[in-house]
Amino acid sequence: MGLFRRSRSSEPSESPESSTPSAATSEQVDDGAPATGTADEKPARGPYDSTQVPERGPRLDLGAVWLPGVPGMELRMEVDKKTQRITGVACAVAGSGLQVQAFAAPRTDGIWDEIRGEIAASVTKQGGTVDDLPGPFGRELLARIPAQTPDGRPGVRPARFVGVDGPRWFLRGVLTGKAAVDPAEARLLESVFANIVVVRDQNPRPPRDLLTLHLPGKGPEAAAPTPAGAPETPSFDPLTRGPEITEIR
């Protein structure tokens, strides 16, 4: 494997991209039974369920997510400072970034429409703007979030939120950097997102519960050690670098 490094950063502020979507309005809990329907029929375009893909192929095994790699890609595993649980996956290449999280979802109803509305409301509350647009994965959000420029002046930071409802899971991606505003620059990371395979375990889970991730090929026991003097749990913010383990491929 490539070179790993771990770093810490200052506490990020609350943002619409926190690690877990806000509490589900439904009290429904997935009973762990396999979803019925056509989960084993591979759709024309991913992301895919593990039942739709005969083998992992050239993808990194990160637990709930099998992630395709591309040359020059930097991979980061976002780590909760308090629990040391891996909460998300972020990759960067050629000035663009993609951050991914996988969640449990009801067997019958998708949750992206509801989550999309919550993200839009949160961005607007922070003084940003958001457009709900059609995209390659269905409806998506183009958000412009207030931020400071390197010289301290007020500015905005664009982010594209994409989501896919799968059988008993939901996959959310956030495109940042060049990929957030330039369709040509976005194609490579859109392809990465489209070729992700989600591995949903059979455990009963409430909707929006984070699915378990681990380091590449290591299994859940390979959590990072607790940093000395680590502060309380940060949010998973695609616009702020958090504790991380990085691999250069």
Side-chain angles (χ1 to χ4, degrees), residues 115-140:
I115 290 173
R116 204 168 64 249
E118 293 167 3
I119 294 171
S122 181
V123 171
T124 302
K125 185 176 180 180
Q126 292 187 36
T129 62
V130 62
D131 295 315
D132 192 317
L133 305 167
F137 304 100
R139 301 302 300 186
E140 64 178 54

Side-chain angles (χ1 to χ4, degrees), residues 69-73 93 188 249:
V70 296
M73 186 174 80
V93 62
L188 179 60
R249 296 186 62 79

Side-chain angles (χ1 to χ4, degrees), residues 195-216:
N195 284 285
I196 286 174
V197 174
V198 178
V199 184
R200 170 67 164 90
D201 60 38
Q202 299 305 315
N203 296 328
R205 293 180 180 272
R208 306 189 185 205
D209 189 31
L210 271 171
L211 300 183
T212 303
L213 296 167
H214 59 64
L215 299 179

Side-chain angles (χ1 to χ4, degrees), residues 15-29:
S15 75
E17 303 85 34
S18 58
S19 62
T20 306
S22 56
T25 56
S26 171
E27 295 298 321
Q28 177 181 2
V29 176

Side-chain angles (χ1 to χ4, degrees), residues 46-47 98 100 137 162 164 171-173 189-196:
L98 169 66
V100 174
F137 304 100
V162 297
V164 173
L171 187 71
R172 183 177 67 185
L189 288 178
E190 285 176 351
S191 177
V192 170
F193 188 76
N195 284 285
I196 286 174

